[in-house]
Amino acid sequence: MKKLYIVLVLSMMAGCSTTGHFKVPESSSLYIYQRPQPVDVKANGEVTTKPFFWTAAGMPPGGGIPYRLEQNGQTVKEGKLRTKFRPVSLFWPPFAAIYWPMGFNPDITYDLVNDKQE
């Protein structure tokens, strides 16, 4: 029973977050998806945040997760990040496939220093 509880808690945590790996310029703040607060970029470049709505789907025209980099209160770079559909959203109630189907692509590093998403 204890193992089932642990599995349920872990699946809940995975169902309501998305994680990506970033390289950002030093002393800059990364804002994702027009959210008012910058995301916390850990020392290893990992960013974990809430998933994104269908508008962040990486399909043309203009798809992707909007971002901006700020230094000293000034926007120095803007763009869109590649996304990936989150299969866990199909199984996450209530209706996560409707509200949170898109997330960071865990297979790439978002290099915002050299403008690469590989």
Side-chain angles (χ1 to χ4, degrees):
M1 185 69 166
K2 188 175 181 179
K3 288 181 183 180
L4 177 62
Y5 178 73
I6 291 171
V7 169
L8 287 174
V9 169
L10 290 175
S11 67
M12 288 172 69
M13 290 171 46
C16 45
S17 68
T18 182
T19 300
H21 292 87
F22 288 80
K23 290 181 184 176
V24 296
E26 286 190 39
S27 69
S28 63
S29 299
L30 176 61
Y31 290 82
I32 302 282
Y33 204 65
Q34 301 173 348
R35 294 180 178 158
Q37 299 297 322
V39 294
D40 178 33
V41 182
K42 296 181 180 165
N44 65 356
E46 188 174 275
V47 171
T48 300
T49 186
K50 293 186 284 186
F52 307 100
F53 189 67
W54 282 106
T55 54
M59 294 179 264
I65 302 167
Y67 78 90
R68 79 178 189 280
L69 281 173
E70 285 189 5
Q71 287 180 327
N72 302 320
Q74 300 285 0
T75 299
V76 293
K77 190 181 292 187
E78 292 181 291
K80 302 235 176 157
L81 305 169
R82 287 177 31 198
T83 59
K84 190 168 188 177
F85 179 76
R86 301 171 54 248
V88 70
S89 69
L90 295 174
F91 306 103
W92 186 248
F95 309 111
I98 295 171
Y99 300 111
W100 300 324
M102 305 310 296
F104 294 126
N105 188 330
D107 303 323
I108 64 174
T109 296
Y110 299 100
D111 186 347
L112 303 180
V113 175
N114 301 310
D115 294 326
K116 294 181 183 177
Q117 295 184 39
E118 299 176 349

